[in-house]
Amino acid sequence: MNDWVFIGLGGNVGTEAEILDRFDSANRELAVLASGGRIGRSPVYRSRAAGPVGDQPDFLNQVIAFAPAPDLEPRALLAILRAIEDRHHRQRTVPKGPRTLDLDLLLFGERVIFEPPELIVPHPRLGQRAFVLAPLLDLLGGPPGKL
């Protein structure tokens, strides 16, 4: 899995069924970028909204992983993620506010990329987010002691 891409999915706008439908849609769209069409999905987690915007519904979170097609570059993937969010009516008017669909590029193989503010890999807050770490560890086989 050293060359795999890991994407965090989140959402808290709409019913649980609507959010899960958006996750399914994003998974289908991203599967076409996967070498051989294989994509791994973690279980879905529920987490409280973090950040300064209070009175938000809980988030649903998931991590997906796939081996990218050889010609897929990180900046192109980031543009694809933004386009998928836009198709699901993602609004960027309130930082850390409610979201229909949030797609974060967590890891792109073993690459370290620093092109702020848009492209930083590994994701700069990856280690601070249990709602990302738990599903990521599910895909990797468990806590580090189990790897």
Side-chain angles (χ1 to χ4, degrees):
M1 294 186 100
N2 291 349
D3 58 344
W4 281 48
V5 169
F6 292 83
I7 309 291
L9 292 80
N12 71 339
V13 172
T15 66
E16 186 170 312
E18 291 169 333
I19 295 166
L20 294 174
D21 283 346
R22 286 185 213 114
F23 285 11
D24 288 343
S25 175
N27 276 286
R28 284 190 302 274
E29 291 187 66
L30 292 169
V32 302
L33 304 174
S35 180
R38 289 187 28 219
I39 194 163
R41 298 174 72 169
S42 75
V44 174
Y45 284 78
R46 180 180 302 276
S47 65
R48 293 195 185 277
V53 180
D55 198 28
Q56 289 188 60
D58 288 349
F59 274 84
L60 297 182
N61 303 100
Q62 184 177 53
V63 171
I64 62 171
F66 60 91
D71 59 343
L72 182 63
E73 290 297 321
R75 184 152 297 278
L77 177 57
L78 185 63
I80 292 166
L81 296 178
R82 296 297 167 257
I84 293 170
E85 288 176 338
D86 290 346
R87 280 193 290 282
H88 291 282
H89 309 289
R90 165 75 191 268
Q91 301 294 313
R92 292 178 176 81
T93 54
V94 179
K96 301 191 182 201
R99 299 170 193 86
T100 55
L101 181 65
D102 185 30
L103 300 173
D104 288 332
L105 177 54
L106 304 174
L107 298 165
F108 198 105
E110 294 183 345
R111 293 191 194 190
V112 176
I113 304 163
F114 190 72
E115 298 176 18
E118 295 170 346
L119 185 58
I120 303 173
V121 177
H123 190 284
R125 291 174 299 286
L126 175 66
Q128 303 165 358
R129 296 177 166 181
F131 60 85
V132 173
L133 289 173
L136 180 62
L137 287 172
D138 284 332
L139 288 175
L140 293 173
K146 293 184 178 179
L147 295 180

